[in-house]
Amino acid sequence: MKTMIFLIISAFTSTVLYAQDSLAVLGNKTKLIAFTPLKKNIKKVDGIAVGMGDAFDDYKGNMRRINGINLEPNPVGLVIWMFFDPSRTANTEPHLVVNGLNISGAGYGRSISHNGVSVSLYNYGDTMQGLSIGGLTTDIDKGSGVVISGLGISSKELNGISISIFNDADELKGMQIGVHNRVDNMKGIQMGLINKSNKMKGLQIGFWNKNGKRSLPFINF
């Protein structure tokens, strides 16, 4: 009798555990095609994601991923850019990683990290690696690769090339090319009309160049 009771309890326990595992799998789906903002039960997209993107996503759960192509034909991108203040979300932890190609009529918020190629109206991503092209502005925490924007680029840490009218960085290893370039700590080259650096190892080429040691026209080091 004891043996029978033990077997029944064991079978019941196994059934419950299996059911919990099945629910866990169902609760974290992998999709080939998905719409954004992603539903809360979608953990990963291996294929194509299409929709409004991160602009209206309030997800606060674990990290999710989009591997492939992310398309955001967002018609209110310019409105978001005009009224959004990136400094209000400067310390937001990223909850989505996009690996691949991103094409957006708007842009990433602070909670996005991207690896690959991104072409968008603006970008306020957390970490960017690869090629990022923004029609208006780019404001990121960390970047590696090439960042191009029409009006301005701001970054806390950038390893690579920054090309825009206004370039601003806390830490730079690489190159800034623009009209007005500013960096706190630089190892590399600044090329523009006005170049400013508090601490640098490298070269400044422009109409007026200022660093922690001296101010000179045309070339400074």
Side-chain angles (χ1 to χ4, degrees):
M1 176 64 84
K2 291 182 179 180
T3 302
M4 182 63 69
I5 294 174
F6 175 77
L7 291 174
I8 293 173
I9 293 174
S10 299
F12 177 76
T13 303
S14 298
T15 302
V16 172
L17 292 175
Y18 177 79
Q20 290 177 340
D21 290 341
S22 298
L23 289 174
V25 171
L26 289 174
N28 296 284
K29 294 181 178 179
T30 298
K31 290 283 191 178
L32 179 62
I33 300 175
F35 296 96
T36 58
L38 296 175
K39 294 182 179 179
K40 297 185 183 301
N41 66 335
I42 297 177
K43 183 71 174 180
K44 184 170 62 172
V45 178
D46 289 333
I48 300 176
V50 182
M52 299 294 286
D54 179 68
F56 303 98
D57 192 351
D58 60 352
Y59 183 76
K60 304 299 182 183
N62 296 326
M63 186 73 72
R64 298 191 289 182
R65 297 181 184 276
I66 296 175
N67 302 314
I69 299 175
N70 183 50
L71 301 177
E72 300 176 4
N74 194 330
V76 295
L78 184 61
V79 176
I80 296 173
W81 176 80
M82 290 174 62
F83 293 99
F84 181 74
D85 181 7
S87 64
R88 295 179 58 186
T89 57
N91 297 318
T92 301
E93 290 294 327
H95 63 69
L96 178 63
V97 176
V98 179
N99 300 310
L101 174 64
N102 171 65
I103 300 176
S104 175
Y108 287 143
R110 282 290 189 187
S111 56
I112 305 293
S113 291
H114 185 95
N115 304 305
V117 178
S118 176
V119 181
S120 58
L121 183 65
Y122 60 84
N123 180 28
Y124 299 124
D126 179 79
T127 303
M128 302 295 297
Q129 298 187 63
L131 173 62
S132 176
I133 300 175
L136 295 172
T137 56
T138 297
D139 189 327
I140 57 177
D141 287 338
K142 294 182 180 181
S144 297
V146 180
V147 183
I148 303 171
S149 277
L151 295 179
I153 297 172
S154 178
S155 61
K156 291 183 179 179
E157 181 179 330
L158 180 62
N159 299 317
I161 301 174
S162 176
I163 303 174
S164 186
I165 295 176
F166 299 97
N167 295 290
D168 187 276
D170 294 341
E171 301 281 338
L172 173 69
K173 293 181 180 179
M175 180 182 293
Q176 287 180 328
I177 301 174
V179 176
H180 185 280
N181 302 313
R182 191 209 69 85
V183 64
D184 286 335
N185 190 2
M186 181 186 79
K187 293 182 180 179
I189 300 173
Q190 289 179 312
M191 298 179 64
L193 289 179
I194 299 175
N195 302 306
K196 295 181 179 180
S197 176
N198 294 328
K199 183 179 179 181
M200 65 167 284
K201 291 183 179 180
L203 188 66
Q204 294 174 312
I205 302 173
F207 181 77
W208 187 250
N209 309 291
K210 181 179 180 179
N211 58 37
K213 297 179 180 180
R214 64 185 70 86
S215 297
L216 291 173
F218 308 125
I219 297 178
N220 201 358
F221 53 91

